[in-house]
Amino acid sequence: MAKVKGDIVIDIEKCKGCELCIEACPQESLETSRQVNQKGYLYIVKIEDNCTGCVNCALVCPEGAITVYRKVDKKKEHVAKITNVTKDINITVNE
Amino acid sequence: MNEKRMIEEDQHFEDVIAEESICIQENIVYEKPDTLTDTPFHYCPGCGHGVAHRLIAEVISELNIQEETIGVAPVGCAVFAYNYLNIDMTEAAHGRASAVATGIKRVLPEKYVFTYQGDGDLAAIGTAETLHTCNRGENVLIIFINNATYGMTGGQMAPTTLPNMKSTTSPFGRDIATMGHPLKMTDLVAQLPGTYYVTRQAVHKPGNVRKAKKAIMNGFKYQKENKGTCFIEIVSNCPSNWKMTPRESNKWLEENMIPYYPLGDLKIPNVKEN
Ligand code: SF4
Ligand code: SF4
Ligand code: SF4
């Protein structure tokens, strides 16, 4: 089952705390922080880890402060590479 | 045993990395376009100008016409537009942006030329220039931000102010009998034979932002066809002078502005050719 995972990075110094991204987010991942940035605005923080990378918040942000990342995990596969033992071993675990 | 634990630890470590490493270059689905400079906007929080600027920058970046585009900045809140767009830009006297754009386009016809004007600039002092530019069918793109007020000077009544809307010069609301009707510039220019593409968009919701971007993209692309003026109105907000929070202003825009200034295309090229 493909799993979509998104994440955002907010440039807190550019954010003016207008909250339009909060309104636009269908996942309700965003909230106003209790802290101000250098310009004195209450900037936005991501409070939930349920972002889908839908880009809505970045589209409505008047400051262009949000960068959105999205990754689709087709198959969950973890690869561990161990280099600090006697010889290199590659282990692949499929879930 | 020790080795096994190390493997497990590494596995755990890799899991954590796999969970957290999605913020990398290859996973970017949205970032600020490079045509937008790093200068922070001077606009009030939540102002639609920022989104409109970003959309123009995105289109210019995507069409890769940074070197071939010349913008004309207005007088009004967007007077510093040249600080934010990393392209050649010039400043026009109040209301004269479309006349300046005409001159630029006639001298440099291979360039993409656009103006960015607010309603005080385009629909009040610049009405004549705008109508005549559209009537002559100059091959320029006019981007018109309509927020129904004079933003920069402190919220006076604009030609586009809605009936009964309060402003500092219409404190009891705009009275149609004495102050006239709101001017629908976009509907006016759509009647002129010189215009090629006329549309009205908004940028208050993600869906509208996407549509507005498409319209701006069309506006730039049609310039290569040399068929006439492209005119894009963007219905926007002014939280500061409407005396609302940005969220309230967008709600008010949806409830009041859009019924008066309905969104959509007023003139699209293939309709004209029929
Ligand atoms: S990308 Fe979508 S889900 Fe993620 S924070 Fe932004 S609006 Fe919310
Ligand atoms: S939309 Fe942008 S400027 Fe407004 S609160 Fe969100 S991140 Fe900050
Ligand atoms: S005065 Fe109005 S239009 Fe001007 S920057 Fe502020 S919110 Fe935007």
Side-chain angles (χ1 to χ4, degrees), chain B residues 24-91:
Chain B
I24 51 171
Q25 194 69 27
E26 64 180 61
N27 289 335
I28 288 185
V29 283
Y30 195 95
E31 66 176 335
K32 178 183 88 64
D34 56 358
T35 304
L36 213 58
T37 62
D38 286 327
T39 318
F41 290 127
H42 70 279
Y43 302 119
C44 312
C47 175
H49 274 306
V51 183
H53 280 22
R54 201 190 67 226
L55 293 183
I56 295 169
E58 275 174 27
V59 167
I60 292 173
S61 289
E62 277 170 35
L63 294 174
N64 204 8
I65 52 170
Q66 221 166 336
E67 304 279 311
E68 301 152 57
T69 308
I70 301 174
V72 185
V75 171
C77 282
V79 66
F80 295 130
Y82 48 77
N83 279 344
Y84 310 124
L85 295 171
N86 195 6
I87 52 170
D88 286 337
M89 285 197 82
T90 184
E91 177 66 54

Side-chain angles (χ1 to χ4, degrees), chain B residues 112-171:
Chain B
Y112 293 86
V113 180
F114 76 95
T115 74
Y116 184 96
Q117 300 171 267
D119 49 344
D121 192 75
L122 182 142
I125 192 168
T127 319
E129 282 77 4
T130 308
L131 287 180
H132 284 293
T133 301
C134 292
N135 196 38
R136 290 192 307 266
E138 302 292 343
N139 289 308
V140 297
L141 167 64
I142 297 176
I143 297 170
F144 166 41
I145 309 290
N146 177 8
N147 55 16
T149 188
Y150 290 166
M152 183 183 73
T153 49
Q156 290 84 359
M157 190 184 75
T160 45
T161 299
L162 298 180
N164 302 320
M165 183 176 170
K166 285 185 181 143
S167 69
T168 51
T169 46
S170 59

Side-chain angles (χ1 to χ4, degrees), chain A residues 16 23 59 61 68 70 78, chain B residues 29-30 41 43 54 247:
Chain A
K16 289 182 184 161
E23 186 149 314
L59 284 178
C61 176
V68 185
R70 190 194 302 140
H78 301 291
Chain B
V29 283
Y30 195 95
F41 290 127
Y43 302 119
R54 201 190 67 226
R247 285 168 95 164

